[in-house]
Amino acid sequence: MSKPVTYETYLRLDNILDAQEPMGPDGKPRPRAHHDEMLFVVVHQAYELWFKQVIHELTRACDLLADDPVPEPAIPRICSALRRVHEIQKVMLAHLPVIETMNPVDFLAFRDSLGNASGFQSAQFRELEIMAGLRDEQRVNYQGDTFERRFRPETIARFDALRSRPSLRQALNTWLERTPCEPGFVATYLMAFDGYVDAQTKTHKDNPQLSDKERANAVGMLENYRRNGHEFLEGDDADMHAACLFIAAYRDEPLLERPNRLLDSLLEFEELWRLWRFRHARMVERMIGLRVGTGGSSGVAYLDKTATERYRIFTVILESRSFLIPRKLLPPLKEKGRYGFAADA
Ligand code: HEM
């Protein structure tokens, strides 16, 4: 006879609530070494559950965005998945003050029993990085070796399987490459952009508060900025760059509003991830100061490197923001009706 489903059986609480005693070096659960070790275990387990949910949502977002073509209704669905991820990321950030209620001396009471265990070995965290689009060459070298040395062959196989699928970054870039801009967009936009840079240059040239050296410096930087803008729209990956700028510049057009929301959602995902890296490093700093990590890294110095530019993912969106110009300078769209909803066209 089948057993009735209860709260406890449905959620498999036996498994979950039976897992807060840490595993010892002999492969057997051991009694907790300190009252606060329970908190340490529970917070990490809660993170792993949230990682699992985020992987679930990102898988959906990646699959939808990697479609060719991406159907119009898929965009709000991707944004909804990302919105859920953002809220989870905020919860993950809020776990850090909880762990900070632990006194560093109390942490030291059981830290040695962690051996070489470290968040560095979180396979789901690495999966998330790969799914987002962090490339191996971006990673900070860890004791002269790849991060994979720390994982079992079956876990490495999971990383490889993920690498063989489009990441969010790749799916975004391919989608942007296919997104058509108005014919002649690049030429007309660059004319408007040049006018914008000219006006900025004039403001600096006419500024009596600047010394000659400061003026020359500002003008030089603006010329660099102009060159970078042209390079962005006419150099490598020009189609992808143009689409990204076009969407953000003309986001008021009904058909571009959702794509623009997608770009914002991806930036928010990245920003919250970076915030977590930074906040985790500050928490670690408070907890262990400048000593080496249990995983054997330099500790805070290593963690801080992972919160820098080097770990950025959606660089195309970020770069495109540099070359946006004020709305009043935007060249009017020649085929405006094309970007309205069908009824407006
Ligand atoms: C007392 C609390 C904590 C301390 C002292 C701490 C310390 C550290 C240190 C020193 C590292 C660098 C690697 C190493 O040498 O071990 C690290 C990495 C890491 N920790 Fe924590 N951690 C704490 C809590 C957490 C929590 C609650 C999580 C949530 C899952 C977490 C996730 C990670 C992850 C994912 C990494 C790898 C980061 C990367 O390589 O980019 N840590 N941690």
Side-chain angles (χ1 to χ4, degrees):
M1 206 173 78
S2 62
K3 287 192 193 150
V5 175
T6 66
Y7 179 81
E8 209 176 350
T9 57
Y10 176 75
L11 294 175
R12 302 176 58 186
L13 291 184
D14 274 358
N15 290 351
I16 294 181
L17 299 180
D18 197 25
Q20 281 69 48
E21 282 182 340
M23 195 67 91
D26 57 359
K28 292 193 191 127
R30 62 162 171 79
R32 290 184 288 272
H34 185 274
H35 174 86
D36 284 5
E37 194 167 14
M38 169 93 167
L39 177 80
F40 187 78
V41 171
V42 167
V43 171
H44 279 85
Q45 288 178 338
Y47 266 104
E48 289 295 334
L49 285 176
W50 284 127
F51 289 160
K52 189 164 185 175
Q53 185 66 35
V54 174
I55 288 172
H56 191 57
E57 303 301 337
L58 285 195
T59 305
R60 157 179 274 200
C62 275
D63 287 350
L64 288 169
L65 192 57
D67 224 358
D68 181 8
V70 178
E72 181 72 14
I75 307 254
R77 283 166 64 201
I78 301 169
C79 288
S80 299
L82 287 172
R83 158 103 212 288
R84 184 173 292 167
V85 171
H86 302 154
E87 294 308 321
I88 295 172
Q89 287 178 295
K90 290 177 200 165
V91 171
M92 292 201 286
L93 271 165
H95 285 327
L96 294 171
V98 178
I99 208 142
E100 278 166 345
T101 61
M102 181 169 68
N103 185 293
V105 175
D106 293 330
F107 178 48
L108 284 180
F110 64 90
R111 184 173 186 254
D112 285 348
S113 52
L114 302 179
N116 287 121
S118 160
F120 192 81
Q121 297 152 355
S122 165
Q124 293 200 103
F125 187 83
R126 300 300 171 210
E127 283 177 40
L128 278 170
E129 289 179 330
I130 297 171
M131 289 178 85
L134 184 75
R135 283 164 290 140
D136 289 338
E137 57 273 25
Q138 287 178 262
R139 292 180 188 278
V140 174
N141 192 299
Y142 191 80
Q143 295 175 2
D145 212 333
T146 69
F147 74 92
E148 271 153 315
R149 193 169 68 80
R150 308 273 154 163
F151 293 96
R152 287 174 295 159
E154 44 290 20
T155 313
I156 296 175
R158 253 167 45 210
F159 297 151
D160 286 341
L162 279 177
R163 285 192 186 100
S164 69
R165 300 164 46 127
S167 66
L168 256 188
R169 185 181 57 81
Q170 286 163 334
L172 167 76
N173 292 354
T174 317
W175 172 73
L176 285 171
E177 270 161 20
R178 284 195 316 257
T179 300
C181 298
E182 182 167 82
F185 163 71
V186 169
T188 51
Y189 192 87
L190 281 176
M191 269 170 63
F193 175 71
D194 282 341
Y196 172 67
V197 182
D198 289 344
Q200 301 265 306
T201 307
K202 185 169 175 342
T203 310
H204 283 89
K205 280 187 173 161
D206 295 348
N207 184 349
Q209 287 171 327
L210 296 182
S211 68
D212 286 350
K213 195 173 165 202
E214 285 169 330
R215 194 169 297 121
N217 204 8
V219 170
M221 283 197 294
L222 279 161
E223 273 321 297
N224 242 342
Y225 172 58
R226 188 196 301 274
R227 261 195 305 280
N228 291 342
H230 280 255
E231 174 67 26
F232 186 72
L233 284 176
E234 295 174 322
D236 292 347
D237 298 320
D239 288 349
M240 179 172 98
H241 294 168
C244 199
L245 196 51
F246 183 73
I247 291 170
Y250 294 100
R251 69 195 174 286
D252 292 340
E253 298 300 318
L255 269 191
L256 299 178
E257 194 264 332
R258 283 172 169 175
N260 188 57
R261 206 156 2 118
L262 172 63
L263 300 183
D264 278 340
S265 298
L266 290 168
L267 274 191
E268 173 132 14
F269 164 65
E270 176 164 7
E271 188 175 316
L272 287 163
W273 203 251
R274 295 184 83 206
L275 270 178
W276 186 85
R277 287 188 190 274
F278 178 79
R279 256 310 263 119
H280 168 260
R282 302 288 69 77
M283 178 274 289
V284 172
E285 190 168 64
R286 271 192 198 197
M287 202 63 81
I288 62 166
L290 300 179
R291 73 188 81 193
V292 296
T294 49
S297 80
S298 55
V300 175
Y302 162 75
L303 293 171
D304 272 337
K305 283 191 203 143
T306 69
T308 59
E309 294 304 300
R310 166 183 188 137
Y311 271 62
R312 298 225 67 149
I313 308 266
F314 304 110
T315 44
V316 61
I317 312 179
L318 188 74
E319 282 174 34
S320 72
R321 298 290 154 109
S322 310
F323 307 117
L324 280 172
I325 55 175
R327 193 183 263 128
K328 63 176 191 263
L329 298 181
L330 276 181
L333 290 173
K334 291 187 209 98
E335 300 176 33
K336 202 166 160 56
R338 213 173 129 190
Y339 302 99
F341 289 127
D344 300 332

